[in-house]
Amino acid sequence: MSTTNAQDAVVIGGGFYGAAIAVYLAKQRGMKQVTLIERESSLLSRASYNNQARVHNGYHYPRSYTTAYRSRINLPKFVLDWPEAVKQDFTKLYAIARRNSKVTANQFERFYREIGAKIELASPALRALFEPRLIEEVFLVEEYAFDSTKLAQWALRELQESAVNVRLQTQAIDICQGADQSLNVILAPHGKEKELINSRYVFNCTYSGLNQFGGDFPGTRTGLKQEITEMALMQMPPALNDLGITVMDGPFFSIMPFPARNLHTVSHVRYTPHMHWTDEPGTNPYQKLDKYPRDTRVDRMIRDIGRYLPSVLDSNYADSLFEVKTILTKNEGDDGRPILFEKHESLPGCYSILGGKIDNIYDVLEKLETENLSRSDDTLSEHAK
Ligand SMILES: Cc1cc2nc3c(=O)[nH]c(=O)nc-3n(C[C@H](O)[C@H](O)[C@H](O)COP(=O)(O)OP(=O)(O)OC[C@H]3O[C@@H](n4cnc5c(N)ncnc54)[C@H](O)[C@@H]3O)c2cc1C
């Protein structure tokens, strides 16, 4: 087995989080030897691509004050940092269902006024799109979409500029204690012999794969729930083409622009999750999805959504995005999306990180900023003194 020595950091997982963290370590923390490991043949091709592309502004979380509030803080930063990836030129509506909703229109409006989010009644023309017997109120809000292909282009550019060594088609399989406070990661590059890479720090940013490591990796303390999800990609009819629509807050649905394909994603709380399980080592979510038959439920989604929003019946199905969605078990009930940030005490230098949603990157970077991370050249400069 070949060995690579003396990395400052190995980041496992080339999604948005792994890429942004690798860039942060190289640029902001001055690490010279950073390697990013990704099992797929391109970066940002898993959950960072297969998602609803919503830059959250809090409206999705009327039952989780912290997540709603943090989203309000993070959205303007995200728009400033990734302007080319953010689509703002569409109208965003949140509608409240009359029956089975966990919030009323009054509660929804009051909550968002209180946290300073823009919210106003939609115009009569926009309200006329909805079936009044089923929809209590329609609000015009401010929420954006992101283009994950633009985020991937940003990642490639920045990683190259920061001299991060990117290894594609390479799976990390074990994380083990090495000599002198270092860690060893065993890699299985596609179609080649295993390799060992030695590093001071390891950042496990593998989202659904967080607990799928052998060696000394202890697993995350936080419980995770895995869900196989389907979002339908649809061509909307002209009446809905410049809109994003979310009906809250119970067994309802969302239609959002998906800039990467110039289509809309359609998700439905009842039909988008196909199956779920409690995360555990040895049940690899990627393999589970590979074996899953992927029979679409688009007909059921559109039939139900058509009751609330009749013009959706004129949309055309293009494709479906299937992905494993990973959430913290503790947030099943309130839909909150805090970050997972764990430092593994039994494996010093090893961190597991899960963002939950794209704009949480700021919460992760804030946490990393408080970590005292040493670099390999720190020891050299200590000796030179
Ligand atoms: C259906 C769905 C809808 C969503 N909607 C939204 C939304 O509208 N807005 C929002 O902000 N967020 C949304 N999210 C959440 C968002 O997608 C995630 O928070 C974000 O993409 C996570 O980024 P990541 O880098 O952690 O994960 P990923 O992009 O999945 O990156 C993890 C990477 O690790 C790689 N990997 C895994 N195991 C290994 C290994 N052992 N070795 C090497 N590589 C490995 C994977 O191939 C993958 O590329 C949604 C998610 C889903 C699934």
Side-chain angles (χ1 to χ4, degrees):
M1 184 155 51
S2 71
T3 304
T4 309
N5 272 321
Q7 295 292 294
D8 289 318
V10 168
V11 181
I12 311 174
F16 178 67
Y17 276 86
I21 288 168
V23 168
Y24 165 82
L25 295 172
K27 280 202 161 167
Q28 310 297 325
R29 304 301 289 260
M31 292 188 179
K32 301 265 179 344
Q33 303 291 337
V34 179
T35 296
L36 177 63
I37 311 288
E38 169 54 47
R39 66 197 283 283
E40 302 289 343
S41 53
S42 59
L43 297 175
L44 276 74
S45 56
R46 295 303 306 239
S48 295
Y49 181 87
N50 298 318
N51 63 62
Q52 199 144 37
R54 185 192 314 268
V55 189
H56 282 279
N57 197 8
Y59 302 102
H60 218 65
Y61 304 107
R63 288 177 287 118
S64 175
Y65 179 84
T66 322
T67 300
Y69 183 77
R70 289 302 304 177
S71 306
R72 302 262 316 128
I73 307 269
N74 289 340
L75 174 131
K77 296 188 200 168
F78 193 88
V79 174
L80 262 183
D81 288 340
W82 285 281
E84 72 285 1
V86 178
K87 177 178 169 65
Q88 301 191 25
D89 59 349
F90 67 100
T91 300
K92 186 65 219 246
L93 303 175
Y94 271 71
I96 309 298
R98 283 194 193 280
R99 266 172 262 144
N100 298 327
S101 178
K102 292 176 183 157
V103 291
T104 63
N106 261 338
Q107 287 167 335
F108 188 80
E109 188 177 8
R110 197 169 345 112
F111 182 79
Y112 290 102
R113 286 207 192 290
E114 270 168 20
I115 64 167
K118 182 182 161 183
I119 182 160
E120 53 188 75
L121 292 181
S123 68
L126 290 170
R127 292 162 72 153
L129 290 168
F130 296 85
E131 169 53 55
R133 281 180 299 121
L134 296 180
I135 293 293
E136 184 188 353
E137 196 50 271
V138 183
F139 296 104
L140 179 68
V141 303
E142 205 163 57
E143 190 179 73
Y144 306 138
F146 61 86
D147 182 336
S148 53
T149 55
K150 300 264 172 61
L151 291 178
Q153 285 161 13
W154 164 85
L156 274 177
R157 225 174 31 239
E158 290 285 316
L159 289 163
Q160 201 171 19
E161 243 181 71
S162 328
V164 171
N165 178 24
V166 178
R167 298 281 310 268
L168 299 174
Q169 291 191 294
T170 301
Q171 187 174 345
I173 50 178
D174 295 327
I175 309 174
C176 312
Q177 190 71 65
D180 299 332
Q181 287 197 324
S182 71
L183 295 163
N184 290 330
V185 181
I186 308 295
L187 305 180
H190 189 70
K192 294 190 194 138
E193 269 194 18
K194 284 185 190 161
E195 293 172 32
L196 184 152
I197 186 164
N198 173 264
S199 178
R200 173 72 188 88
Y201 297 102
V202 170
F203 294 88
N204 170 16
C205 306
T206 54
Y207 192 64
S208 307
L210 278 189
N211 283 314
Q212 306 308 320
F213 292 100
D216 302 320
F217 184 72
T220 57
R221 290 183 300 276
T222 312
L224 302 177
K225 178 186 171 190
Q226 308 282 14
E227 259 179 20
I228 290 188
T229 53
E230 177 190 8
M231 283 181 311
L233 279 171
M234 312 279 301
Q235 180 72 59
M236 285 294 137
L240 301 179
N241 207 28
D242 294 325
L243 299 179
I245 294 172
T246 299
V247 171
M248 299 288 277
D249 176 22
F252 305 125
F253 62 88
S254 239
I255 300 176
M256 278 292 285
F258 190 72
R261 296 271 304 265
N262 211 10
L263 292 164
H264 279 68
T265 47
V266 175
S267 67
H268 189 294
V269 170
R270 202 178 308 137
Y271 303 117
T272 287
H274 279 231
M275 65 179 288
H276 62 88
W277 66 96
T278 302
D279 187 48
E280 55 176 11
T283 306
N284 187 313
Y286 296 103
Q287 287 169 3
K288 206 151 166 148
L289 179 58
D290 284 346
K291 291 197 194 121
Y292 189 71
R294 301 186 184 212
D295 294 330
T296 181
R297 294 178 175 173
V298 65
D299 291 345
R300 280 180 274 175
M301 290 191 204
I302 295 300
R303 202 178 314 133
D304 190 55
I305 296 174
R307 298 192 300 127
Y308 297 84
L309 188 70
S311 40
V312 83
L313 299 172
D314 297 327
S315 59
N316 288 312
Y317 176 65
D319 203 354
S320 283
L321 299 174
F322 280 90
E323 188 51 279
V324 181
K325 185 173 195 168
T326 306
I327 60 172
L328 312 192
T329 314
K330 64 181 180 202
N331 294 111
E332 264 182 286
D334 68 359
D335 269 353
R337 292 286 178 269
I339 62 167
L340 176 156
F341 188 98
E342 287 188 16
K343 238 164 128 164
H344 298 290
E345 306 283 324
S346 63
L347 206 50
C350 181
Y351 293 78
S352 290
I353 296 172
L354 180 140
K357 59 189 178 62
I358 225 84
D359 57 292
N360 283 356
I361 187 64
Y362 297 103
D363 298 358
V364 166
L365 295 179
E366 220 171 79
K367 276 276 200 190
L368 278 175
E369 200 59 29
T370 62
E371 289 300 309
N372 186 12
L373 303 174
S374 59
R375 299 184 316 229
S376 49
D377 52 0
D378 286 348
T379 342
L380 295 177
S381 44
E382 279 301 312
H383 286 306
K385 272 183 200 165

